[in-house]
Amino acid sequence: MHLVLGVMDKEPSLRVIWGGAAALGLIGYAAVRFRRWLVLPSLALIAIAIWIQLGDLLDPHIGPAILQQAGLWYVGQACAAAALAVILCVLGLAPKRAV
């Protein structure tokens, strides 16, 4: 019998997740606008952050406990924040407008 103690007290809050995703996305956006080749290191950094954040969900013991305590809403919000970071970074590749 496994005792499920507080799993969510060890996980970041949604505020931290959204703030980190927005910060990584905006930094990636600015870097890519500066130099287009910086999209690869920026996306690599975002991928590492996503893997660290969402890696617990793939664990066979911790993942179900997170779903039980926080619900599908937490997982959906974490995935949406990760998508925001990637989208912001890729938006930096848009061509600059001629003035």
Side-chain angles (χ1 to χ4, degrees):
M1 177 177 172
H2 291 280
L3 263 170
V4 178
L5 299 175
V7 173
M8 289 310 296
D9 61 343
K10 296 167 190 71
E11 294 297 317
S13 68
L14 284 176
R15 231 182 242 177
V16 171
I17 291 172
W18 277 104
L24 280 174
L26 290 173
I27 290 169
Y29 177 83
V32 171
R33 294 304 276 180
F34 180 66
R35 295 279 184 249
R36 293 177 69 82
W37 63 269
L38 287 174
V39 72
L40 294 177
S42 297
L43 286 176
L45 182 65
I46 291 171
I48 291 169
I50 290 171
W51 181 257
I52 290 170
Q53 169 57 37
L54 298 180
D56 287 342
L57 294 173
L58 300 176
D59 187 275
H61 300 292
I62 299 174
I66 291 173
L67 282 173
Q68 181 183 14
Q69 288 184 6
L72 206 52
W73 178 254
Y74 179 85
V75 176
Q77 289 286 315
C79 291
L84 173 74
V86 171
I87 290 169
L88 283 174
C89 185
V90 172
L91 277 177
L93 291 174
K96 297 177 183 175
R97 287 199 265 163
V99 177

